[in-house]
């Protein structure tokens, strides 16, 4: 059992202590590689949810979709596809 979580980007060796119980994580280096508008979309969604404007079920599926996009963008940037 490990309490550390790895960055989603393949071959990235960064880990962090998984205090929040995340399923997946993107390290700060790769996070910065993601186009800004996508990161903003993600933070906007989270703040709307905190303000109670989005139902929990909707938030989960929206967040999932956005997260997949973020991950794909981080991986693409890391391997230089973009
Ligand atoms: Zn990484």
């Amino acid at each position: 059992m490990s309490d550390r979580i790895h960055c989603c980007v393949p071959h990235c060796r960064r880990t962090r202590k998984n205090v929040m119980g995340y399923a997946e994580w993107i390290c700060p280096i790769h996070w910065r590689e993601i186009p800004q508008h996508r990161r903003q979309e993600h933070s906007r969604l989270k703040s709307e949810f905190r303000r109670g404007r989005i139902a929990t079920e909707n938030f989960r599926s929206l967040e999932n979709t956005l997260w997949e996009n973020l991950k794909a963008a981080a991986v693409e940037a890391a391997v230089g596809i973009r």
Side-chain angles (χ1 to χ4, degrees):
M1 197 192 112
S2 164
D3 64 346
R4 299 197 69 85
I5 187 166
H6 285 261
C7 174
C8 290
V9 176
H11 311 301
C12 177
R13 300 184 61 90
R14 291 178 194 89
T15 62
R16 69 175 281 177
K17 222 172 152 56
N18 194 12
V19 280
M20 302 293 282
Y22 294 131
E24 293 180 316
W25 171 72
I26 298 172
C27 74
I29 311 293
H30 285 120
W31 185 254
R32 276 205 302 270
E33 300 284 313
I34 298 171
Q36 201 183 21
H37 69 273
R38 289 194 188 264
R39 286 181 282 154
Q40 281 169 347
E41 244 180 316
H42 189 249
S43 59
R44 199 180 315 126
L45 177 72
K46 283 198 296 193
S47 78
E48 298 271 292
F49 176 63
R50 274 197 303 271
R51 291 181 197 145
R53 295 195 188 144
I54 303 174
T56 308
E57 319 84 83
N58 292 344
F59 173 73
R60 290 246 168 81
S61 71
L62 283 168
E63 216 240 346
N64 242 320
T65 310
L66 268 184
W67 182 254
E68 291 303 318
N69 289 341
L70 288 171
K71 243 178 16 182
V75 173
E76 280 167 20
V79 297
I81 293 173
R82 209 156 28 154

